[in-house]
Amino acid sequence: MIDKKQSRLRRAAKTRATIARLKAVRLTVHRTNTHIYAQVIDATGAKVLAAASTAEKELRAALKSGATAAAAAEVGKRIAERAKAAGVSDVAFDRAGFAYHGRVKALADAAREAGLKF
């Protein structure tokens, strides 16, 4: 029997295979019950170009909880700023098998508003 995590990873593998075929820089998101993490990874998948998360010290101090849509939106804004500083403006969005809803959607929308194209 396949559990919830294995199902998510199976969905994520399909997306990653497509992005790898496109040879695109990807914005990947990982969500836990307490935090949300975002990374911009180069086209080869070997190097992290930018990263942001609610686990960062200054964000933890500023936010009441890292598990809210508002916190995810702040991470989206930060990842877009850091990606642009690294010279990246076009990315492929990798939701890592998570539903495009709630915190994942809030992060994506904030990253788009801050200037990332996907």
Side-chain angles (χ1 to χ4, degrees):
M1 186 170 154
I2 296 178
D3 67 4
K4 194 173 180 179
K5 184 176 180 183
Q6 285 175 317
S7 295
R8 180 183 70 77
L9 292 175
R10 182 181 49 76
R11 288 191 302 271
K14 286 194 238 177
T15 306
R16 292 208 182 107
T18 304
I19 293 171
R21 252 194 327 275
L22 295 170
K23 292 183 175 48
V25 175
R26 68 187 164 108
L27 167 60
T28 187
V29 173
H30 183 72
R31 176 178 62 78
T32 65
N33 287 339
T34 51
H35 292 289
I36 192 158
Y37 307 84
Q39 292 180 319
V40 174
I41 301 171
D42 75 341
T44 63
K47 191 173 171 202
V48 175
L49 305 172
S53 80
T54 53
E56 293 169 4
K57 196 169 193 173
E58 63 274 12
L59 260 182
R60 274 188 291 141
L63 299 167
K64 199 175 79 149
S65 168
T68 63
E74 184 60 34
V75 171
K77 198 171 81 179
R78 282 174 177 242
I79 195 69
E81 288 165 4
R82 292 174 187 179
K84 286 198 292 194
V88 176
S89 61
D90 289 338
V91 295
F93 189 64
D94 177 4
R95 59 190 174 85
F98 294 108
Y100 187 79
H101 175 77
R103 290 189 284 156
V104 175
K105 185 177 189 298
L107 188 147
D109 290 344
R112 277 194 192 100
E113 278 176 33
L116 274 185
K117 292 188 199 77
F118 57 93

